[in-house]
Amino acid sequence: DNAASNSAGFKELIKEKECSGIFHSGCAAHGLDLTMEDLYKEPWFKPTMDKAKAIVNFFKQYRSKPGHWLLQAQEAARAKQVEEWKANPRGLKDDKIVPRVLLRHEDTRFGTCKLLLDRLVQLEEYVKQVVVGENWATCPALKPEQIERKDRIRSIVLDEEVWEKSTLLLAVLKPVHLTLDKKCQQDC
């Protein structure tokens, strides 16, 4: 981040008589990115984001049985979609295709909160199928110390307020993310 250097250089520049009328503003994309970082710390934002991250992290664990069950539920839905598409090729819309995987949040990558929430909300039906399924109830492959975490994740997944708030957060993040994404495409 070179904002301080730019500001200092601008202050020196406007000392020159021929440059005194120049106006300086900070980078809009950088300002929006900082605003989003501040949003993540807000008390109305952070608890829901933390719950969404907990769900994704649980399902994305290395060789995770729940992650495997989620993929199975998605593959079954995809197979059904393929059959529907074969019957009516023009009937299937791109936005209705089941996405393949949940996406993790990365602290160092711009916009991953939005991407995580977007994919999680898209997969809500399948995540819920997994936590109420027979495999989840028996779950023999989990270690004893994971049982408490599994139960916590199940309660989060079945809490409708988490999904409602995730959808609201997504509505807040989408326009800002779109603006930043377009700005970065132009400048980067």
Side-chain angles (χ1 to χ4, degrees):
D1 181 31
N2 62 3
S5 299
N6 287 339
S7 294
F10 176 73
K11 287 177 184 173
E12 288 299 314
L13 183 66
I14 61 170
K15 289 179 182 176
E16 301 294 324
K17 185 177 180 180
E18 57 272 357
C19 297
S20 63
I22 295 176
F23 176 75
H24 171 71
S25 68
C27 175
H30 181 73
L32 282 173
D33 190 43
L34 292 174
T35 301
M36 286 184 71
E37 285 180 27
D38 288 345
L39 265 179
Y40 302 151
K41 299 171 191 167
E42 288 294 320
W44 56 270
F45 190 102
K46 189 172 178 355
T48 301
M49 197 65 223
D50 288 346
K51 288 175 183 176
K53 287 180 194 178
I55 293 168
V56 171
N57 289 338
F58 188 82
F59 278 91
K60 296 285 285 184
Q61 287 176 338
Y62 181 67
R63 296 187 184 191
S64 155
K65 286 288 184 186
H68 178 71
W69 299 329
L70 179 60
L71 289 174
Q72 285 178 327
Q74 292 170 254
E75 288 304 318
R78 270 189 186 281
K80 183 179 176 187
Q81 286 178 332
V82 167
E83 292 305 314
E84 290 172 5
W85 180 76
K86 286 179 182 176
N88 182 10
R90 293 186 178 158
L92 184 62
K93 305 263 189 285
D94 285 345
D95 64 334
K96 299 295 182 198
I97 295 174
V98 179
R100 290 202 179 263
V101 296
L102 292 168
L103 300 172
R104 285 189 197 261
H105 172 264
E106 299 293 337
D107 289 331
T108 59
R109 300 297 305 154
F110 149 75
T112 58
C113 278
K114 182 264 182 199
L115 299 173
L116 176 146
L117 285 172
D118 197 18
R119 185 61 60 86
L120 184 60
V121 167
Q122 289 174 22
L123 293 174
E124 174 184 358
E125 173 187 347
Y126 307 102
V127 171
K128 286 179 176 178
Q129 280 178 22
V130 170
V131 302
V132 298
E134 186 178 321
N135 286 335
W136 189 272
T138 56
C139 214
L142 284 182
K143 297 174 186 168
E145 64 270 13
Q146 293 175 311
I147 300 297
E148 185 179 314
R149 186 168 174 230
K150 178 190 87 151
D151 293 341
R152 183 176 156 268
I153 294 300
R154 184 179 193 275
S155 69
I156 292 171
V157 168
L158 296 178
D159 182 353
E160 286 304 316
E161 186 177 4
V162 170
W163 297 100
E164 290 168 8
K165 286 184 175 181
S166 292
T167 302
L168 288 172
L169 291 182
L170 194 53
V172 169
L173 292 176
K174 273 186 178 179
V176 178
H177 186 268
L178 182 64
T179 302
L180 282 170
D181 196 37
K182 285 186 186 271
K183 181 68 177 154
C184 284
Q185 286 175 4
Q186 293 170 355
D187 295 344
C188 299

